[in-house]
Amino acid sequence: MSIAPIDSIDSLSSDLFYDILRRLDGPALASLACTCAAFCSISKEESLWENVCSSVWPSTNREDVKSLIFSIGGFRKFYADCFPLIVNKEVGEYQWNNHLEYPDDWTEAEYYGDTNELESITPSDFVSIVDIRFKGKPICSKVQWGIPNADGFDGWFYNCPFRIDLLAYADRDDNNDGVVTLSVSDGLPPITSMERERKDGKLWHELRDGLLLSWILVNKKIKQSANLASWSPLDGQRHWPTDKDFVIRFGSVLPAKDILSSQVVQCILVMKFRVVHIEEEGFQTSLKLTELSMQLKDMEGAHVNGRNSLHILKEALSCRRSKNYSEVLESCHMYSKVQNELKEEKMRSESRLDTLCIITGIAAFMTFWYYVL
């Protein structure tokens, strides 16, 4: 078969350029755009980036999500904002001595935040766009507009622990009425008994290694977005609180400077699966997604209230990001390391205080009997 010679790239039609570029993923498309003016011009086509976003985040195929993305700057900007993950290198700068140890020591302004500034941030400004993959296959896409029940009940949301539970408020438009399941046909190993699973942990390892989570938060008012997930799990627990539950955690470290005295908080994204069938019951091994939630915790593990959470999430949309996944993991592991050190230091301080109290009590007891006798 003979191939017609090409004198130059300029001799190729724009349609052919487009056909080539639409087959590329996001990083390859961005790299190719830097090679020449022709590729740079064509790579700015929104339809190309819409195709890229659709392959990475199936939830962006929804018409309401497409309208949202166009309203905040288009698919090209959306991809540039959400593909890199949040990385926070200020974790090591946390100083225990600068932190007020007990909430009772906090002033009302420190605990509740600036009320005037909060008026510009409302729960309805935020949209959660969530996609879950297992072994590369999309298994769940959910979109949550606003924060459910956050605008009523006399403002209880602002003073109570912040939490978004997507399964508790599943959209009626979701497939299977919001129920998400995994089975052997999705790549799970067949399990004949939970006793055997406790020993070899085959199901647990396949689940932990195969799951990917993307939780994109969009603020419609300021037209910014970011991916709060870590893609791969950070940690997890087997068989908690029952033998048939698997808890897997994703997340990121978010800046809280000038919002909380801890300066940084952890965004924890929890995914919980429950075993509903095993092979010995006459069915294929299958799991059901029972929890998909977000919450924020400070260095001491205390839940952040809704008022401060809105400030933190707004600031997170403009914080530093990185395409280097190992750098993101390092940031999360550094947070856990510092948090464990603080817990150990607090335990040592409490131990010294307990010892001092005991010695003081003994001394007082001996002094009392000395004067009595």
Side-chain angles (χ1 to χ4, degrees):
M1 182 178 65
S2 62
I3 301 176
I6 298 176
D7 297 331
S8 66
I9 294 180
D10 294 335
S11 64
L12 296 176
S13 66
S14 297
D15 291 339
L16 185 56
F17 272 171
Y18 179 85
D19 188 62
I20 294 173
L21 268 61
R22 73 180 181 85
R23 301 172 188 271
L24 303 179
D25 60 12
L29 181 59
S31 298
L32 192 61
C34 301
T35 58
C36 68
F39 281 123
C40 180
S41 177
I42 298 178
S43 67
K44 294 179 180 179
E45 290 290 333
E46 276 294 298
S47 57
L48 289 173
W49 292 103
E50 181 178 351
N51 182 62
V52 169
C53 290
S54 176
S55 63
V56 179
W57 304 293
S59 54
T60 59
N61 286 318
R62 291 177 41 153
E63 292 301 323
D64 54 349
V65 176
K66 288 182 180 180
S67 299
L68 171 66
I69 294 175
F70 281 121
S71 70
I72 63 174
F75 282 93
R76 186 183 178 202
K77 178 180 181 297
F78 183 79
Y79 182 88
D81 289 342
C82 302
F83 182 74
L85 300 180
I86 292 176
V87 59
N88 195 323
K89 293 190 174 182
E90 298 179 358
V91 177
E93 300 176 4
Y94 177 87
Q95 297 294 327
W96 169 260
N97 294 331
N98 294 335
H99 182 57
L100 297 177
E101 184 172 355
Y102 300 104
D104 292 341
D105 297 330
W106 296 356
T107 65
E108 184 176 352
E110 289 172 323
Y111 186 81
Y112 291 111
D114 189 345
T115 304
N116 294 330
E117 185 180 350
L118 186 64
E119 293 177 357
S120 63
I121 312 173
T122 62
S124 59
D125 294 336
F126 294 94
V127 181
S128 293
I129 303 175
V130 181
D131 289 281
I132 305 175
R133 291 178 180 269
F134 181 68
K135 294 188 174 181
K137 175 185 176 183
I139 63 170
C140 175
S141 293
K142 290 186 177 294
V143 179
Q144 178 64 60
W145 297 82
I147 301 175
N149 298 330
D151 297 321
F153 303 103
D154 298 324
W156 67 270
F157 163 81
Y158 297 101
N159 302 323
C160 291
F162 173 83
R163 179 184 173 90
I164 298 178
D165 192 338
L166 292 188
L167 297 188
Y169 306 99
D171 293 332
R172 293 183 179 181
D173 295 336
D174 291 336
N175 294 330
N176 300 320
D177 296 325
V179 176
V180 180
T181 59
L182 282 175
S183 64
V184 173
S185 60
D186 297 312
L188 287 180
I191 302 299
T192 56
S193 69
M194 293 306 301
E195 182 67 29
R196 184 177 182 84
E197 165 59 20
R198 278 192 293 269
K199 294 179 180 178
D200 57 30
K202 188 175 182 181
L203 178 61
W204 161 246
H205 290 298
E206 290 287 335
L207 190 64
R208 182 192 60 190
D209 297 339
L211 281 171
L212 296 176
L213 172 66
S214 170
W215 189 310
I216 295 174
L217 192 72
V218 180
N219 187 303
K220 298 181 295 182
K221 182 177 293 184
I222 62 177
K223 298 183 178 182
Q224 290 181 325
S225 56
N227 194 342
L228 302 182
S230 51
W231 280 112
S232 298
L234 297 175
D235 57 48
Q237 293 175 298
R238 293 176 52 196
H239 316 304
W240 182 90
T242 69
D243 278 349
K244 294 188 175 183
D245 286 331
F246 299 85
V247 179
I248 302 175
R249 296 183 183 88
F250 303 76
S252 55
V253 180
L254 307 181
K257 190 175 182 180
D258 300 327
I259 301 175
L260 294 179
S261 52
S262 63
Q263 304 297 309
V264 289
V265 300
Q266 186 175 29
C267 176
I268 303 174
L269 308 175
V270 177
M271 190 186 303
K272 182 187 291 186
F273 283 90
R274 174 165 295 176
V275 178
V276 292
H277 294 300
I278 56 177
E279 300 292 319
E280 68 178 5
E281 297 172 346
F283 299 93
Q284 279 191 341
T285 300
S286 59
L287 305 178
K288 176 184 177 182
L289 182 64
T290 59
E291 181 180 338
L292 183 57
S293 63
M294 175 199 293
Q295 51 192 326
L296 303 183
K297 291 186 178 181
D298 64 14
M299 270 290 184
E300 293 189 55
H303 290 268
V304 182
N305 62 29
R307 187 182 301 270
N308 289 329
S309 294
L310 293 183
H311 285 287
I312 293 171
L313 292 176
K314 179 183 177 182
E315 293 300 319
L317 300 184
S318 57
C319 69
R320 184 175 180 270
R321 296 161 212 186
S322 174
K323 297 178 183 178
N324 186 347
Y325 181 64
S326 60
E327 188 178 19
V328 176
L329 282 182
E330 182 182 354
S331 171
C332 295
H333 292 157
M334 176 63 72
Y335 183 93
S336 299
K337 179 182 178 181
V338 174
Q339 189 177 47
N340 290 334
E341 291 175 352
L342 293 176
K343 289 180 180 179
E344 293 174 0
E345 176 62 27
K346 186 175 181 179
M347 291 177 63
R348 286 193 292 267
S349 299
E350 291 176 348
S351 178
R352 289 193 292 266
L353 182 61
D354 291 342
T355 302
L356 179 62
C357 290
I358 293 173
I359 294 174
T360 303
I362 294 174
F365 178 79
M366 295 178 66
T367 303
F368 172 77
W369 282 108
Y370 174 80
Y371 285 106
V372 169
L373 298 177

